[in-house]
Amino acid sequence: MSTENQEKYEKYYVPEQSPWPIIGAIGLFLLAYGGANFIQQTTGKYNNDGSMGWIIFSVGLAVIIYMMWSWWRDTIRESMNGLYSAQMDRSFRQGMLWFISSEVMFFAAFFGALLYARQLIVPWLGGEGNNAMTHALLYPDFIPQWPLTTTPAGETTTAMGAFGLPAINTAILLTSSWTLTIAHHALKDGNRSALLNYTAITALLGIIFLGLQAYEYYEAYHHMGLTLGSGIYGSTFFMLTGFHGFHVTIGTIFLIVMSVRCASGHFTKENHFAYEAGAWYWHFVDVVWLFLFIFVYIV
Amino acid sequence: MADHHPTGIKRWLFTTNHKDIGSMYLWFSFIMFLIGGAMAMVIRAELYQPGLQFVEPNFFNSMTTMHGLIMVFGAVMPSMVGLANWLIPMQIGAPDMALPRMNNWSFWILPFAFTLLLSSLFMDGGAPNFGWTFYAPLSTTYGPPSTDFFILGVHMMGISSIMGAINVIVTVFNMRAPGMTLMKMPLFVWTWVITAFLLIMVMPVLAGAVTMMLTDRHFGTDFFNAAGGGDPVMFQHIFWFFGHPEVYIMILPAFGVASEIIAAFARKKLFGYSSMVYATASIALLSFIVWAHHMFTVGMPIAGELFFMIATMLIAVPTGVKVFNWVATMWQGSMTFETPMLFSIAFVILFTIGGFSGVMLAMAPVDFQYHDTYFVVAHFHYVLFPGAIFGTTAAVYYWLPKWTGKMYNEKLGKIHFWWSMIAVNLTFFPMHFSGLAGMPRRIPDYNMMFAAFNQLASIGAFALGLSQLFFLFIIIKAIRSGKKAEDKPWEGATGLEWDALPCPAPYHTFDTPPQVK
């Protein structure tokens, strides 16, 4: 029975010991401990100047980058030495899909905050439902509206329009999804030059997107008075777009690494999980942006 | 040699073996259990009499907060992940978890995360003191400086849990032995895979909540501040969207454990296997639409109160199915009452009491009376201690021979059971009464009229604390000098881990998948 199965099934590769997980855990610890100190020092809310927050944070970051580099280097070597079976490939794919699912829920928390604020908090502060007394006693002058350009406490700001930079950025991201799909098909057809060119174009579009977003933030902070502190509108605006921008940054780095790996001939028509993972991640970031564009900018 | 394993400290630091990682998870959770338990002892000592005896109110608040956080994230959740690591690959005939290196990372993040959290006890302003639910504005505007370390600690725990959950799902969906169809999987595997779905869905939401807390505290955002158009109540909604599924994350694997053990010692097949699977899935789905029953008194629109009340009561249906099935499994079985069975039967009875008080709390108009009283404390300790902890304890006794190749001393095990059984009821049952009489939770001092109930509870708690040290003694004694276990120490046990593997299970199992008929 067992010999029969031995012939029938490929052996699943269970890796030997690896130092990277625990190094990653140490890195995360330094990142968190240093990060908390760093934040406290920078914002000056607490008397915390004695600790070397930013140094610990930077060391943590360096450890994490070193860990990721080495861990993936090992994985790539094993994969290219043919240690991975088709079943292993499925493990990676399913793992990536569930990771993206968890990311969807991370965004869902912030989208939830945005919708709750717009649909419930602001009307309630304006006296809707059984909240007439809240309105009358707390903020009688408050006018409920969205975008909330005047907070209950009276701070004012300007809303970010949808059809300037944001619309251009939408077009850029949609285009990048399209170029990435061309690259992906080129990979499957074994067309190396198209693969390289279109992957690089996609990464470049990501960089342009980030540049435009930085410019948008600059405009918001310096000319529109729209900051993180501009009430719930500013909070949700920067949290959602900032968090998305962070993901675009990761996705862009992902794609740049994939371009380098394509150039080094790491991928074959059949075996290119890492590339597809990068592509899935990029499409995910793209879809999140569409929701952002609708709910943060347009509606 | 097939059973070769690495030696020395590197074996544990660098391991990719699901059994090593499972053991580390279990020991880690037990250490956390003792630390969180020590905090509970501080709480019960202070509450032994009215008035302030031992600790400052602020420190008392830190104790309730840290006790909750450590027990939820440090003791119960890792113990369940430890069981998953040890059992799932053996139960589905897989050589290991699907992503072994990530598995090790999931574990090693935890000791560091809890070092960060525990270090807050020594910081200026003290440890977090706003309750394990860390409601805004207590945690945002009024939180001590250590709150920021707590926030990043929670981020680390979240990363660990999500990776652990991904590993479980991928293992179950991709690594089952040929013939191990989904509906042949042991119920422990089923309950864990559903738990893992819950983890992936809600841990990121918790991460979002603490991120908003962090920006509210330091970067001027107004998510939980009405003056800026935000709302502290929104924090509660986001927190409990995580928090309620979290409750099931802690209990569902224990359901799986009880289902296996009761069937084994009743020497019958589990009654209603498929209805157990569907009931577990229904509980998980319902857990997403009931969160606001934790906040009936916060001032929600009446339609919201009604919706969350009715949705919550619906959970009693699948839970009832499960309890019915456990009882029906025992019905006319040839039962014997070894320690794991005793803990499992106590689990069914006491968890049901916790479930009933849950139905009481689910009724919005009645909850207005119970809210934030010791009745709530009694309720959730009944589902967590005799629920999740008894479940884990039963699992440890049941699978110990499989893990170590040694038997525990049955007599000592029975003493441990009756000791815990009496102590747990002595601790938590009086809290129902003090709660109904109006004693608020998270308060270091109380009215004279609650003194008797509190003394009973404190005496019970000290006995319960001691019983856990006794548990530790039994386990260490078993590992060091226990009787050698037979390959199948339990007559009625079923499943691949008992039928296809010796005791103790070799370091590497199922390099070649077994054929499941």
Side-chain angles (χ1 to χ4, degrees), chain B residues 162-204:
Chain B
I162 292 169
M163 290 197 299
I166 290 175
N167 227 330
V168 168
I169 296 192
V170 176
T171 306
V172 172
F173 282 121
N174 194 30
M175 307 282 288
R176 277 171 292 128
M180 177 61 78
T181 55
L182 285 174
M183 291 310 272
K184 273 189 197 164
M185 294 196 307
L187 212 72
F188 177 75
V189 180
W190 257 118
T191 52
W192 234 112
V193 86
I194 291 167
T195 304
F197 276 114
L198 291 181
L199 279 167
I200 288 178
M201 294 296 280
V202 301
M203 290 311 282

Side-chain angles (χ1 to χ4, degrees), chain B residues 212-386:
Chain B
M212 287 185 255
M213 257 174 72
L214 188 70
T215 58
D216 263 19
R217 283 169 60 76
H218 286 288
F219 303 109
T221 58
D222 288 313
F223 288 107
F224 309 129
N225 175 14
D231 189 350
V233 174
M234 182 167 79
F235 176 86
Q236 299 185 22
H237 279 292
I238 297 172
F239 177 83
W240 285 114
F241 183 84
F242 147 80
H244 198 78
E246 169 70 15
V247 181
Y248 296 124
I249 287 165
M250 291 191 280
I251 197 66
L252 290 183
F255 284 176
V257 168
S259 306
E260 306 227 351
I261 294 178
I262 289 174
F265 290 98
R267 289 162 183 78
K268 276 176 66 189
K269 266 177 69 179
L270 181 70
F271 184 89
Y273 170 89
S274 51
S275 68
M276 281 299 219
V277 173
Y278 297 133
T280 312
S282 317
I283 292 175
L285 285 177
L286 284 173
S287 76
F288 287 111
I289 54 164
V290 298
W291 74 86
H293 66 214
H294 295 269
M295 31 195 294
F296 278 143
T297 59
V298 86
M300 267 185 296
I302 203 80
E305 308 248 324
L306 270 176
F307 171 80
F308 286 107
M309 175 170 93
I310 292 164
T312 305
M313 288 202 221
L314 276 180
I315 294 183
V317 177
T319 313
V321 168
K322 297 191 81 92
V323 174
F324 178 86
N325 285 351
W326 288 321
V327 176
T329 305
M330 289 188 261
W331 179 252
Q332 292 193 331
S334 330
M335 289 208 284
T336 50
F337 299 93
E338 287 87 346
T339 311
M341 181 60 160
L342 289 174
F343 272 104
S344 301
I345 295 175
F347 166 88
V348 173
I349 297 168
L350 299 183
F351 176 82
T352 306
I353 295 180
F356 280 143
S357 56
V359 176
M360 294 168 74
L361 287 163
M363 297 178 230
V366 193
D367 178 73
F368 276 52
Q369 164 78 5
Y370 305 152
H371 194 90
D372 245 344
T373 69
Y374 258 81
F375 189 81
V376 179
V377 179
H379 158 69
F380 68 72
H381 280 96
Y382 257 86
V383 287
L384 277 172
F385 206 114

Side-chain angles (χ1 to χ4, degrees), chain B residues 442-463:
Chain B
R442 293 170 174 161
I443 294 283
D445 186 8
Y446 52 83
N447 192 303
M448 275 299 289
M449 66 189 271
F450 305 120
F453 288 134
N454 274 288
Q455 281 188 353
L456 278 178
S458 288
I459 292 167
F462 299 140

Side-chain angles (χ1 to χ4, degrees), chain A residues 1-26 28-29 31-37 39-40 43-48 64 67 71 74-75 78 84 86-92 94-96 98-99 101-103 105-110 112-114 116-117 120-122 124-125 130-131 138-139 142 148 151-155 228-236 239 243, chain B residues 4 6-7 10-17 20 95-102 104-105 108-109 112-113 115-116 119 123-124 140-141 143-149 152-153 155-156 159 162 166 169-171 173-176 178 197 200-202 204-209 211-212 214-231 233-234 237-238 241 288 299-302 507-508 511-515 517:
Chain A
M1 177 192 90
S2 134
T3 39
E4 182 196 320
N5 273 359
Q6 234 151 25
E7 284 154 27
K8 232 166 52 189
Y9 300 102
E10 287 181 89
K11 205 168 144 63
Y12 195 82
Y13 177 71
V14 177
E16 287 300 312
Q17 299 203 320
S18 164
W20 309 122
I22 185 143
I23 289 176
I26 294 169
L28 270 185
F29 176 73
L31 211 58
Y33 182 74
N37 277 309
I39 289 171
Q40 291 193 346
T43 59
K45 185 171 163 189
Y46 301 116
N47 190 14
N48 181 357
I64 290 282
M67 177 277 290
W71 189 332
D74 285 1
T75 311
E78 287 161 4
Y84 292 171
Q87 196 186 14
M88 190 82 193
D89 195 59
R90 280 200 300 278
S91 285
F92 284 145
Q94 293 182 6
M96 187 68 195
W98 289 112
F99 168 67
S101 311
S102 77
E103 291 270 55
M105 290 309 291
F106 205 163
F107 275 103
F110 299 131
L114 170 69
Y116 188 87
L120 298 173
I121 303 176
V122 169
W124 285 351
L125 282 170
N130 56 1
N131 298 286
L138 282 179
Y139 308 107
F142 175 65
L148 188 68
T151 67
E155 273 184 66
L228 263 176
S230 308
I232 192 72
Y233 176 70
S235 307
T236 50
M239 187 61 102
F243 202 62
Chain B
H4 159 81
T7 49
K10 279 187 185 171
R11 168 179 176 186
W12 304 103
L13 295 184
F14 298 164
T15 185
T16 47
N17 181 287
D20 283 352
D96 205 296
M97 296 294 276
L99 305 158
R101 281 187 283 229
M102 192 173 87
N104 194 30
W105 197 21
W108 275 109
I109 288 173
F112 290 102
T115 306
L116 196 62
S119 71
M123 290 176 188
D124 283 348
T140 50
T141 314
S146 61
T147 309
D148 300 317
F149 295 87
L152 292 167
H155 272 304
M156 289 174 74
I159 293 170
I162 292 169
I166 290 175
I169 296 192
V170 176
T171 306
F173 282 121
N174 194 30
M175 307 282 288
R176 277 171 292 128
F197 276 114
I200 288 178
M201 294 296 280
V202 301
V205 176
L206 175 69
T211 306
M212 287 185 255
L214 188 70
T215 58
D216 263 19
R217 283 169 60 76
H218 286 288
F219 303 109
T221 58
D222 288 313
F223 288 107
F224 309 129
N225 175 14
D231 189 350
V233 174
M234 182 167 79
H237 279 292
I238 297 172
F241 183 84
F288 287 111
M300 267 185 296
I302 203 80
Y507 194 65
H508 294 291
D511 280 343
T512 306
Q515 188 74 42
K517 294 277 183 302

Side-chain angles (χ1 to χ4, degrees), chain A residues 72-88:
Chain A
W72 274 319
R73 182 200 57 205
D74 285 1
T75 311
I76 291 165
R77 272 186 199 153
E78 287 161 4
S79 167
M80 299 196 47
N81 287 332
L83 287 169
Y84 292 171
S85 59
Q87 196 186 14
M88 190 82 193

